Amino acid sequence: MACLAEYGWAGSTVAVVAERAGVSRGAAQHHFPTREDLFTAAVEYVAEERSSALRALVPAGPAHRRAAVEGIVALYTGPLFRAALHLWVAASDEDQLRPRVTELEARVGRESHRIAVELLGADESVPGVRETVQGLLDMARGLGLATLLTDDARRRERVVAEWARILDGVLG
Amino acid sequence: MACLAEYGWAGSTVAVVAERAGVSRGAAQHHFPTREDLFTAAVEYVAEERSSALRALVPAGPAHRRAAVEGIVALYTGPLFRAALHLWVAASDEDQLRPRVTELEARVGRESHRIAVELLGADESVPGVRETVQGLLDMARGLGLATLLTDDARRRERVVAEWARILDGVLG
């Protein structure tokens, strides 16, 4: 993940990753025959780890909405999102990588949605609530993208505070 | 822009662009001495063109909020956003490109914010309204990113409809 976040897809060969991990290239290839295998597995693993950590750390339900929104937005900032973004952009140009990453992204997206619904204490049987939660996840992704070039933590904090307030009103 | 959207930063040399444009490499380099000059100028030019087109097409004010939100979200989908995304991701890894793209992104961001405020008929003297508009732009960027790998126009349409309704209530 560190290689992907630092060097991008083009610079992250199996040899580069193996050296960084202190294993032989052969050992890396034994577990992950192709670079596509290695990176989709890495992104999925870290995404699962972070989702579990979020579930464990943030209390769920309407009383804790600000913390829930902050936790959800945090999923899309930092090195994991940065690495995933490199993978997405590379996949948009490479036919071999695209189906793998599209499938991975759909799986991670569904899981993020489930966690968001749970943490927000949102009732998806109410019309519009599903789209409201989806919009929040899109916003979190957009905030993550803004962080790619500049550290805009202060701006992000103000946006999160305001939108947590709006969401709280909408979700009831 | 087409080269950047199709081949990414690594594949978009001045020679590739010159051939596509049907001009000599020398002619391209006469106008844009470096690749950084060429691509930051191209992204800025197209961003300005699209902003002007949006201003001309979409009626401003509270009565047209759904159309305003749709127009704003449309700024972040399609080939321009795709090209800009390639440039951002490349800039996050390349020291020569980063300051140029960061500065460009700040300028384009301010202009998008101005247009959004105008089209939504939002009153930024009201506390929280500035952050509300920023959050909408972040959401539009996130929706654009989701479109990179899969055409999720239907999902996007539902999210936009719901959030236009929410924004309308919040902005008054």
Side-chain angles (χ1 to χ4, degrees):
Chain A
M1 296 300 288
C3 288
L4 201 51
E6 276 175 41
Y7 313 128
W9 174 252
S12 296
T13 61
V14 173
V16 165
V17 174
E19 200 194 320
R20 178 91 161 227
V23 302
S24 72
R25 195 176 154 166
Q29 277 174 332
H30 175 74
H31 294 286
F32 304 102
T34 70
R35 192 152 72 120
E36 285 78 9
D37 294 324
L38 176 61
F39 283 107
T40 50
V43 168
E44 179 157 30
Y45 173 77
V46 180
E48 275 169 11
E49 290 284 294
R50 292 205 60 183
S51 297
S52 307
L54 182 61
R55 266 207 171 102
L57 279 173
V58 177
H64 309 282
R65 289 232 168 95
R66 169 85 181 261
V69 173
E70 282 170 2
I72 291 161
V73 168
L75 278 182
Y76 293 84
T77 47
L80 168 65
F81 179 75
R82 201 182 159 85
L85 192 57
H86 276 98
L87 198 64
W88 290 339
V89 169
S92 78
D93 295 326
E94 297 197 19
D95 292 340
Q96 265 196 303
L97 192 57
R98 195 182 308 116
R100 301 283 294 268
V101 174
T102 303
E103 206 250 317
L104 168 67
E105 172 51 19
R107 220 157 50 225
V108 171
R110 278 193 299 272
E111 179 62 12
S112 305
H113 188 92
R114 243 194 312 271
I115 292 178
V117 167
E118 186 185 317
L119 292 184
L120 293 166
D123 178 2
E124 288 205 302
S125 68
V126 175
V129 164
R130 192 175 165 71
E131 289 74 19
T132 303
V133 175
Q134 283 187 356
L136 173 68
L137 289 167
D138 286 306
M139 185 186 299
R141 199 166 19 213
L143 285 164
L145 191 51
T147 310
L148 187 66
L149 294 181
T150 44
D151 174 18
D152 72 339
R154 276 196 199 172
R155 181 189 81 90
R156 191 168 63 240
E157 209 173 285
R158 287 195 300 267
V159 170
V160 164
E162 191 56 32
W163 279 92
R165 209 182 56 75
I166 292 172
L167 261 178
D168 204 34
V170 170
L171 295 176
Chain B
M1 294 300 288
C3 287
L4 200 52
E6 277 176 41
Y7 313 128
W9 173 252
S12 296
T13 60
V14 173
V16 165
V17 174
E19 201 195 319
R20 178 92 161 227
V23 301
S24 71
R25 193 175 155 168
Q29 278 177 331
H30 175 73
H31 293 287
F32 303 103
T34 70
R35 190 151 75 120
E36 286 78 9
D37 293 325
L38 176 62
F39 284 107
T40 50
V43 168
E44 179 156 30
Y45 173 76
V46 180
E48 273 170 12
E49 289 285 293
R50 293 205 61 185
S51 296
S52 306
L54 181 62
R55 267 209 170 100
L57 278 173
V58 177
H64 309 281
R65 289 230 170 96
R66 170 83 181 262
V69 174
E70 282 170 0
I72 291 160
V73 168
L75 279 181
Y76 294 85
T77 48
L80 168 65
F81 179 75
R82 202 181 157 86
L85 193 56
H86 274 100
L87 198 64
W88 290 338
V89 169
S92 79
D93 295 326
E94 297 196 21
D95 291 341
Q96 264 196 303
L97 192 57
R98 194 181 311 118
R100 300 283 294 267
V101 174
T102 303
E103 205 251 317
L104 168 66
E105 170 54 18
R107 219 157 48 225
V108 171
R110 277 193 300 270
E111 178 62 11
S112 307
H113 188 92
R114 243 195 310 271
I115 293 178
V117 167
E118 185 185 316
L119 292 183
L120 292 166
D123 177 3
E124 288 203 304
S125 69
V126 176
V129 165
R130 189 176 166 72
E131 289 74 19
T132 303
V133 174
Q134 284 188 355
L136 172 68
L137 289 167
D138 286 306
M139 187 186 297
R141 199 167 20 213
L143 285 163
L145 190 51
T147 310
L148 186 67
L149 293 180
T150 45
D151 175 18
D152 72 338
R154 277 195 200 173
R155 181 189 82 88
R156 192 170 61 239
E157 210 173 285
R158 287 195 301 268
V159 170
V160 164
E162 191 56 30
W163 277 97
R165 207 182 57 73
I166 292 171
L167 262 180
D168 203 33
V170 171
L171 294 177

